[in-house]
Amino acid sequence: MAKKSVFQLLSIMLVLSLVLSACGGNNNNASPSASGSQPAGTESASPSDANKEVKLTIGYATGDPAGKKAISDTIAAFTAANPNIKIVDTSEGTSSSYLDWLKTKDAVGEFPDIVEMRDTKVFADAGKIAELPAGLTELFSTLPEVDGKKYNAPITLNAPQGIIYSKKAYADAGVAELPKTYDEFLAIQEKLKASGVTPIVVGGKDIFHMGFWLNKFLIDQVYAADPDWNSKRTAKTVSFTDANVVAAMTDYKELFTKYVDKGWLSTADNQTASILVSGKAAQLFSGPWMFTQIKEADPSFEFGYYALPDRQGKVSVIGLPSPAGWSLSTDAAKDADKVEAFNAFIRFFFAPEQYSKFLEVSNGIPSTKEPVSYKATEQMQTVLDIMADPGITKSLAINNWWGENQIPPQFRNWYYKLMQDLVVKNGDVAEFMKKADEEYDVEVKANQQ
């Protein structure tokens, strides 16, 4: 593993800052500094009475085992450094979406004090989360706003998804070069099939996993050219039945019909790594958070990673920032001791010494203003190079756009399930896109009431 240079990380953050400056929300305050061997800010941000015990609950998505471990390790390190602050982890594995889990916790009066927030506008509009304390905004180069307010300390920046492939499977199938176009990628799938291996594993049992491939095609054929497509759809000036969307979903259906493992609908996301390393499938389309899982499943497994180009050879990936990250609940914000404890936790989490450990375990893209050095694997270095490349278009998944481009919060899961049915029922793409239009309009109208 190669040690990342400060110059490389500064380049990454500069590129991301330039991208974000076009979107607004840039923050140019001074960055934090370390104090002694303890991570920056933990001493000064502790509750006013150092001996007073403070308890905070925390909730975050647990679908990614590597990310879950990285967070739980950070919580353990923080409580060891701050014995008077007790953080109760309320996170749990669930078959429902993270949004639904949070809504359930809220309904039973158990909304976490510290919460990983992904649907910021939903919970901001509901009055469930408070603005990020002003003293914390200095930690980050850019903070996207929702209705002019900053609610999130971004855990990492959005990471690109790409093809994670078995080097052995590629070699056995006679694949000597990585594809330069999507059609070349399809040709590789035919070679893999001919060699007797299933080309692609998909964890379709977990609805969020469906978004990986769906958004790949949507970004290539819709969002890369028109980042404001969602707002236009809300205004009914574009449609899911338009040629570009139909083409995107046609490519998706063809891929799943011809090259995806037949058991994809009953395969969980956390099973995909073991299926890949076992040789039952040659490729997985996912993000860098999977690298740790793959290494843990088989440390000797040799794999590569690349961003998948479109038919013209253009590369577009998820990589823009969105309003997501650690947030403080409004109830906790009413308690001065909890606010100070939250400040302490956030400063500890993002202090370079601690944050570098988190990023290395989770294979994350740093979000802090201050550059963070950590050991990057061969595959992670490719990810970082992609993020730093201004020639690669950075975009977002359908549900991660914000402001005027925010979609109705329930539409994502509904749409992903519709697209599962498209494949399972061998549906007509144009007809299914009519259903998408109808549902989208119903949800927009419901949200306006």
Side-chain angles (χ1 to χ4, degrees), residues 106-127:
D106 181 31
V108 298
E110 298 177 359
F111 194 78
D113 296 319
I114 304 174
V115 56
E116 180 189 357
M117 189 50 53
R118 297 182 174 185
D119 298 276
T120 298
K121 184 170 176 56
V122 172
F123 290 96
D125 288 348

Side-chain angles (χ1 to χ4, degrees), residues 59 149 163 202 259 404 441:
K149 298 178 180 179
I163 295 294
V202 168
Y259 305 118
E404 294 298 318
D441 290 339

Side-chain angles (χ1 to χ4, degrees), residues 51-280:
N51 297 317
K52 184 176 182 180
E53 292 189 359
V54 181
K55 184 174 77 172
L56 291 165
T57 57
I58 191 169
Y60 52 90
T62 59
D64 166 32
K68 182 180 187 300
K69 182 181 187 305
I71 292 175
S72 61
D73 286 350
T74 303
I75 293 172
F78 174 75
T79 53
N82 299 270
N84 62 308
I85 302 177
K86 182 179 181 182
I87 296 184
V88 180
D89 191 343
T90 64
S91 307
E92 57 190 71
T94 174
S95 59
S96 64
S97 71
Y98 181 62
L99 172 61
D100 291 339
W101 180 79
L102 277 181
K103 287 185 174 182
T104 300
K105 299 297 282 186
D106 181 31
V108 298
E110 298 177 359
F111 194 78
D113 296 319
I114 304 174
V115 56
E116 180 189 357
M117 189 50 53
R118 297 182 174 185
D119 298 276
T120 298
K121 184 170 176 56
V122 172
F123 290 96
D125 288 348
K128 300 306 300 181
I129 54 175
E131 290 184 67
L132 193 68
L136 298 179
T137 61
E138 67 184 22
L139 301 179
F140 310 98
S141 295
T142 53
L143 288 175
E145 299 178 354
V146 172
D147 297 329
K149 298 178 180 179
K150 300 170 182 176
Y151 291 96
N152 318 107
I155 298 174
T156 61
L157 295 178
N158 287 318
Q161 292 156 12
I163 295 294
I164 302 171
Y165 67 97
S166 164
K167 290 185 176 181
K168 181 180 183 302
Y170 268 38
D172 290 347
V175 179
E177 295 184 358
L178 298 180
K180 296 181 178 62
T181 66
Y182 183 69
D183 288 328
E184 289 183 8
F185 172 74
L186 293 181
I188 289 175
Q189 307 317 296
E190 290 294 337
K191 289 183 177 181
L192 291 168
K193 284 181 67 175
S195 72
V197 65
T198 296
I200 302 167
V201 59
V202 168
K205 183 178 180 180
D206 292 307
I207 194 63
F208 72 86
H209 189 110
M210 294 303 303
F212 300 164
W213 275 113
L214 286 168
N215 283 296
K216 155 64 184 171
F217 294 116
L218 286 173
I219 287 172
D220 279 356
Q221 302 192 50
V222 180
Y223 295 126
D226 189 357
D228 293 317
W229 190 89
N230 284 356
S231 63
K232 294 176 181 177
R233 178 59 200 84
T234 300
K236 299 183 180 181
T237 60
V238 296
S239 167
F240 281 96
T241 62
D242 289 345
N244 57 344
V245 185
V246 170
M249 295 303 95
T250 299
D251 284 346
Y252 151 78
K253 181 186 175 185
E254 177 187 33
L255 186 85
F256 269 61
T257 301
K258 292 183 177 180
Y259 305 118
V260 170
D261 178 66
K262 300 304 180 185
W264 63 272
L265 199 55
S266 59
T267 301
D269 178 84
N270 61 14
Q271 294 176 292
T272 57
S274 61
I275 291 173
L276 181 68
V277 303
S278 70
K280 295 178 181 178

